[in-house]
């Protein structure tokens, strides 16, 4: 994924968990069975994430504290942050899906079309 070279911080452990990303696919799969560990090859086969992307993605998830590692196995971390992150993403996605096709989403510049409701001129 391309990044803004000037602002990119390689030490930043922030992970993009947007729908469809490799990180999201791996984490969702691991969260289904948080007490079970999987090898990278097993994760690639189960999630469809390319084998060459599994390791680097798991390393980023580990740096963010979302997965744990016991060579050669990986599992979701046993941490309340997982539940909080999952709830946040579900909430955002639910809101987005509920309102993505409303009038505002379909009309660019909707805020310019709103009537002036100020008390001026009355």
């Amino acid at each position: 994924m391309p990044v803004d070279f000037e602002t990119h911080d390689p030490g930043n452990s922030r992970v993009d968990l947007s729908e469809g990303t490799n990180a999201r696919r791996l984490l969702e799969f691991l969260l289904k069975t948080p007490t079970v560990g999987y090898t990278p090859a097993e994760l690639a086969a189960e999630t469809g994430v390319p084998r060459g992307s599994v390791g680097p993605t798991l390393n980023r998830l580990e740096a963010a504290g979302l997965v744990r590692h016991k060579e050669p196995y990986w599992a979701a971390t046993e941490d309340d942050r997982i539940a909080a992150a999952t709830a946040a993403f579900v909430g955002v996605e639910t809101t987005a899906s509920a309102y993505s096709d409303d009038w505002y989403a379909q009309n660019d510049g909707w805020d310019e079309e709103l009537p002036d409701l100020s008390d001026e001129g009355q």
Side-chain angles (χ1 to χ4, degrees):
M1 168 170 59
V3 298
D4 181 338
F5 195 78
E6 298 304 319
T7 60
H8 176 67
D9 178 8
N12 185 352
S13 63
R14 184 175 177 176
V15 178
D16 180 6
L17 292 174
S18 302
E19 190 166 341
T21 62
N22 290 341
R24 172 77 172 261
R25 290 163 53 194
L26 289 168
L27 188 57
E28 280 182 342
F29 178 78
L30 291 172
L31 286 171
K32 291 178 184 175
T33 55
T35 60
V36 177
Y38 298 89
T39 66
E42 292 167 334
L43 288 169
E46 292 290 334
T47 63
V49 173
R51 178 65 179 94
S53 297
V54 172
T57 303
L58 289 170
N59 286 328
R60 286 194 306 277
L61 289 168
E62 183 180 34
L66 300 174
V67 299
R68 52 200 165 122
H69 184 216
K70 286 185 182 179
E71 190 65 41
Y73 300 100
W74 293 84
T77 191
E78 294 176 328
D79 190 327
D80 290 341
R81 288 180 295 174
I82 293 291
T86 302
F89 279 107
V90 168
V92 167
E93 287 179 350
T94 300
T95 302
S97 67
Y99 296 104
S100 64
D101 63 348
D102 70 359
W103 187 88
Y104 299 107
Q106 296 175 18
N107 292 280
D108 291 334
W110 63 267
D111 56 342
E112 297 167 9
E113 297 175 22
L114 293 177
D116 182 12
L117 300 176
S118 67
D119 289 335
E120 293 177 23
Q122 290 185 359

